[in-house]
């Protein structure tokens, strides 16, 4: 959750820090990075800042997800190892993480 990864840059000099995730990059991520994840890993789509839900994806992270606002809407929480390594996250989340939280691949929108 706290270690969002950017899609690999077509701009090696880093001039374009926020860029959309293309199908070619998505295929490469699935083959190289995500193929080791269990097949039942949930993929969560995060809404954009404006709330219109129609923005290109640009980053991703592994986190825990729990449906907290009904069956299909929930919240994202840090992984256990993130909590272990970050005191501020432990203070922020404490014991607020539901027991139902599962590991999920979270895709974040551009912007």
């Amino acid at each position: 959750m706290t270690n969002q990864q950017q899609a690999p840059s077509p701009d090696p000099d880093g001039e374009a820090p926020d860029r959309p995730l293309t199908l070619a990059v998505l295929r490469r991520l699935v083959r190289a990075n995500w193929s080791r994840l269990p097949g039942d890993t949930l993929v969560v789509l995060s809404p954009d800042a404006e709330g219109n839900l129609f923005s290109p994806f640009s980053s991703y992270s592994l986190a825990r997800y729990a449906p907290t606002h009904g069956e299909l809407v929930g919240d994202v929480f840090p992984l256990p190892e993130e909590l272990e390594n970050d005191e501020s996250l432990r203070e922020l989340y404490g014991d607020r993480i539901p027991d139902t939280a599962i590991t999920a691949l979270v895709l974040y929108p551009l912007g």
Side-chain angles (χ1 to χ4, degrees), residues 85-103:
N85 295 325
D86 189 330
E87 184 177 343
S88 64
L89 283 177
R90 288 192 304 274
E91 290 174 7
L92 180 63
Y93 287 95
D95 53 359
R96 289 184 343 141
I97 300 174
D99 293 336
T100 57
I102 60 171
T103 299

Side-chain angles (χ1 to χ4, degrees), residues 48-97:
D48 66 4
E50 292 84 27
N52 63 21
L53 306 178
F54 296 103
S55 294
F57 293 107
S58 68
S59 60
Y60 60 92
S61 70
L62 278 178
R64 287 188 290 176
Y65 168 83
T68 55
H69 305 288
E71 188 177 324
L72 300 176
V73 180
D75 289 320
V76 174
F77 303 95
L79 294 169
E81 53 268 23
E82 291 175 311
L83 289 171
E84 185 177 310
N85 295 325
D86 189 330
E87 184 177 343
S88 64
L89 283 177
R90 288 192 304 274
E91 290 174 7
L92 180 63
Y93 287 95
D95 53 359
R96 289 184 343 141
I97 300 174

Side-chain angles (χ1 to χ4, degrees), residues 6-67:
Q6 284 285 318
S9 177
D11 176 16
D13 296 327
E15 299 287 323
D18 211 9
R19 61 205 156 273
L21 185 75
T22 64
L23 183 56
V25 171
L26 185 60
R27 286 178 179 147
R28 187 169 66 233
L29 288 169
V30 168
R31 278 193 310 272
N33 297 24
W34 301 338
S35 65
R36 295 178 296 266
L37 295 173
D40 60 352
T41 299
L42 187 64
V43 176
V44 175
L45 308 177
S46 178
D48 66 4
E50 292 84 27
N52 63 21
L53 306 178
F54 296 103
S55 294
F57 293 107
S58 68
S59 60
Y60 60 92
S61 70
L62 278 178
R64 287 188 290 176
Y65 168 83

